[in-house]
């Protein structure tokens, strides 16, 4: 690595070391590093590489198909921008946890796996864009990202975890396609501005409190869905219409309680 005028450049080829419980080689300079540049041939950013580096303001990732390790940038409270030239294949556990100044995260191309708690409490994060989609959204991945307005279409998404978008109160729409079979409990709990959602035909389970207290206006239950959990759509005050499918077996307690605007229920013959 090199360090000049507050700019730390990581170069070489292959994976970085993981720094679980050990100091990084640049740790003694942590209070003076403002910019991190990851050069082209680096294939991973190791666990805890920049954890608690409060002075970092920007990260420029020039590498392609890179892996970002667990807790790599957690508690980088001043981190405002991340420039990504290529793709990111994997974002590790709590990788950007509590990066409370981060406003956007835009990946040029590729399909991205987002681990649990990856962006918890990034409360200034407005947009998360991955043109080719997100393959996996872990539990609490965007928990309490209260400014999140735009989340790119989740093509080929196989998993949306529990509490994954909990209290993302500015999120208005989400379009999910791909092999997704289940939406985790409390996944969109109190996303109070969420008005439009498109669910894939592959959905089999909508779990407990998945869309509790959202602003969804109409709902079509996909044909393969057999179960709707308790309080799944409770307190959806603007829900006007529901279309059920013929394969639905179970509707949990209070699944549609306090949906006071509901006017139309379309039942299969």
């Amino acid at each position: 690595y090199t360090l000049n005028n507050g700019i730390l450049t990581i170069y070489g080829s292959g994976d970085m070391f993981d720094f679980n419980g050990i100091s990084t080689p640049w740790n003694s300079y942590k209070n003076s590093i403002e910019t991190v540049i990851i050069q082209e041939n680096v294939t991973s950013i190791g666990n805890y590489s920049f954890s608690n580096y409060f002075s970092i303001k920007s990260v420029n990732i020039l590498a392609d198909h890179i892996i970002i390790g667990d807790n790599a940038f957690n508690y980088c409270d001043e981190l405002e921008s991340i420039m990504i030239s290529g793709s990111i294949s994997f974002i590790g556990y709590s990788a950007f946890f509590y990066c409370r100044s981060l406003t956007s995260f835009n990946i040029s191309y590729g399909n991205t796996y987002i681990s649990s708690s990856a962006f918890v409490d990034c409360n200034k994060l407005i947009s998360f864009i991955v043109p080719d989609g997100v393959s996996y959204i872990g539990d609490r991945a965007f928990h309490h990202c209260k400014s999140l307005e735009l989340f790119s279409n989740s093509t080929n998404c196989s998993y949306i975890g529990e509490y994954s978008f909990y209290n993302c109160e500015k999120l208005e729409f989400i379009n999910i396609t791909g092999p997704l079979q289940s939406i985790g409990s409390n996944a969109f709990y109190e996303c109070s501005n969420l008005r439009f959602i498109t669910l894939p035909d592959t959905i089999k389970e909508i779990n407990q409190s998945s869309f509790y207290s959202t602003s969804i206006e109409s709902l079509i239950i996909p044909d393969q869905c057999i179960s709707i959990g308790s309080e799944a759509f409770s307190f959806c005050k603007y829900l006007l219409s529901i279309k059920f499918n013929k394969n639905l077996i179970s509707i949990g307690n209070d699944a549609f309680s306090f949906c006071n605007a509901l006017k139309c229920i379309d039942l299969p013959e």
Side-chain angles (χ1 to χ4, degrees), residues 15-76:
D15 294 346
M16 288 175 60
F17 288 114
D18 291 327
F19 298 99
N20 304 52
I22 61 174
S23 294
T24 62
W26 44 85
N27 189 62
S28 58
Y29 308 107
K30 68 182 298 182
N31 293 327
S32 61
I33 298 172
E34 294 188 359
T35 299
V36 175
I37 299 174
I38 308 296
Q39 291 287 9
E40 286 91 341
N41 294 320
V42 178
T43 54
S44 77
I45 300 173
N47 297 348
Y48 292 94
S49 291
F50 304 99
S51 177
N52 288 284
Y53 275 55
F54 302 119
S55 61
I56 293 177
K57 294 182 179 179
S58 65
V59 175
N60 188 355
I61 299 175
L62 303 175
D64 197 12
H65 302 294
I66 198 166
I67 291 170
I68 299 178
D70 296 347
N71 303 286
F73 294 94
N74 68 351
Y75 294 102
C76 289

Side-chain angles (χ1 to χ4, degrees), residues 29-155:
Y29 308 107
K30 68 182 298 182
N31 293 327
S32 61
I33 298 172
E34 294 188 359
T35 299
V36 175
I37 299 174
I38 308 296
Q39 291 287 9
E40 286 91 341
N41 294 320
V42 178
T43 54
S44 77
I45 300 173
N47 297 348
Y48 292 94
S49 291
F50 304 99
S51 177
N52 288 284
Y53 275 55
F54 302 119
S55 61
I56 293 177
K57 294 182 179 179
S58 65
V59 175
N60 188 355
I61 299 175
L62 303 175
D64 197 12
H65 302 294
I66 198 166
I67 291 170
I68 299 178
D70 296 347
N71 303 286
F73 294 94
N74 68 351
Y75 294 102
C76 289
D77 197 34
E78 296 297 317
L79 178 59
E80 297 174 353
S81 66
I82 299 176
M83 292 171 282
I84 303 165
S85 300
S87 64
I88 295 177
S89 57
F90 182 91
I91 300 174
Y93 172 80
S94 291
F96 296 93
F97 184 100
Y98 214 76
C99 290
R100 294 175 66 101
S101 297
L102 186 63
T103 58
S104 64
F105 197 99
N106 301 329
I107 300 173
S108 299
Y109 63 91
N111 207 264
T112 302
Y113 182 111
I114 305 171
S115 299
S116 299
S117 304
F119 294 90
V120 169
D121 272 333
C122 293
N123 59 10
K124 289 186 179 179
L125 183 66
I126 296 173
S127 65
F128 187 95
I129 305 298
V130 186
D132 295 328
V134 174
S135 61
Y136 184 101
I137 303 171
D139 297 345
R140 294 177 168 83
F142 295 92
H143 185 281
H144 210 61
C145 290
K146 300 186 75 169
S147 298
L148 186 64
E149 297 178 9
L150 183 59
F151 186 87
S152 64
N153 294 350
S154 301
T155 55

